Amino acid sequence: MKNLIVYAHPNSTSLNHFFKQTVIESLEKSGQEIVIRDLNQINFNPVLSLDDMHGQRKGQITKDVKTEQDFITWADRIIFIYPIWWTGMPAIMKGYIDRVFSYGFAYRYDQGIQKGLLTGKQTIIINSHGKSNAEYEATGMDKALALTSDTGIFTYCGLEIEKHFYFDKADRASPENIFEWENELISVLKQNPLII
C-alpha cells in the first residue's frame, strides 16, 4: 500500500510528531511505501491567492500545488496528522486543503451535482486537542468538527474515512495515555484489509 502522510506541526518534540513517527515505524515494519509531506518543513505556502483562484477555474495550477496533487494521485491512503487549534485545522493545513484540493482535481460539479474525485483512496485523520472529549460532546463541538472536516472536506472529495482519531487532553497527557494512543494507531494500521 502506498501511504501519503500529510503532517502539520512546527514542533519536533510535539505529541503530533510522536504520532507521525509511530505511523512511519508501523508502516515501515509492514513493508509499505511511504511519502511524508511535512508542511512546515517544506515551507508550504498556505495562502490561496487570486492567481490560484483564477488558475483553478481554468484548470491551471502552480508547480507547488501540482507536486502535492501528484503525491495524492500516487497514494492509496492519505494519513493527515495535525492538532486541533481554535476548533479547527492549523492554518497551514487549511491552506493545503484550499490550494491542493482544487476544483477539477478533488471535486467537480456534473450538471449541478457535486462529485468527489478522490474515490478509491482511504484516509486516516489523527488529531490532538486540549479539551476533553466529554467537553466537546457537551457543547456539540464533536459533531461540528466531524461535519466541517469529515463531511465538508474528506468525504466531500470522495475519500473513504478509515478512522478519525481525536486524542483529547493532549496538553496534559500521561505516559499511560500516550502508550494507549500509540497502540490504537498501530492496531488500526495493522488491521487494514489492503495490507498484503
Side-chain angles (χ1 to χ4, degrees):
M1 178 178 265
K2 295 178 286 189
N3 296 271
L4 173 64
I5 298 172
V6 183
Y7 171 75
H9 201 295
N11 187 347
S12 62
T13 63
S14 68
L15 185 58
N16 282 263
H17 185 268
F18 173 79
F19 294 151
K20 177 179 66 131
Q21 292 309 116
T22 299
V23 169
I24 291 168
E25 289 168 18
S26 180
L27 294 174
E28 284 176 343
K29 281 181 186 171
S30 61
Q32 297 183 61
E33 294 180 69
I34 310 165
V35 168
I36 303 151
R37 302 305 285 166
D38 181 330
L39 300 183
N40 291 97
Q41 190 176 67
I42 65 172
N43 200 25
F44 182 79
N45 177 7
V47 179
L48 179 67
S49 69
L50 188 56
D51 285 344
D52 284 330
M53 294 171 77
H54 288 320
Q56 286 181 2
R57 288 191 191 109
K58 299 174 189 171
Q60 300 168 348
I61 53 172
T62 60
K63 185 178 177 183
D64 63 333
V65 169
K66 176 73 165 67
T67 297
E68 302 310 317
Q69 289 183 351
D70 286 346
F71 284 126
I72 290 171
T73 299
W74 167 85
D76 299 313
R77 175 170 57 193
I78 307 165
I79 302 171
F80 295 92
I81 305 171
Y82 59 90
I84 300 294
W85 289 343
W86 289 103
T87 67
M89 299 175 173
I92 200 165
M93 181 64 79
K94 180 59 169 64
Y96 174 92
I97 299 295
D98 288 345
R99 295 189 67 219
V100 177
F101 280 38
S102 61
Y103 183 83
F105 172 75
Y107 71 100
R108 74 169 183 253
Y109 293 98
D110 290 339
Q111 299 177 348
I113 299 171
Q114 183 275 333
K115 180 178 182 182
L117 301 178
L118 302 180
T119 55
K121 296 180 185 296
Q122 295 180 322
T123 189
I124 295 174
I125 306 108
I126 302 167
N127 294 146
S128 62
H129 56 83
K131 293 273 189 187
S132 70
N133 286 334
E135 288 175 286
Y136 269 11
E137 287 169 15
T139 61
M141 191 58 66
D142 59 333
K143 291 180 181 65
L145 284 170
L147 188 61
T148 56
S149 66
D150 294 7
T151 305
I153 298 171
F154 302 121
T155 58
Y156 185 88
C157 294
L159 294 170
E160 178 188 332
I161 298 174
E162 186 179 340
K163 181 73 176 175
H164 192 155
F165 291 98
Y166 293 101
F167 295 127
D168 66 336
K169 298 186 279 187
D171 56 340
R172 50 199 181 280
S174 67
E176 292 78 19
N177 292 140
I178 295 169
F179 179 73
E180 182 181 324
W181 296 339
E182 179 183 24
N183 285 331
E184 285 181 45
L185 290 173
I186 292 168
S187 174
V188 165
L189 292 167
K190 277 184 178 176
Q191 60 183 275
N192 188 295
L194 294 180
I195 293 175
I196 53 174

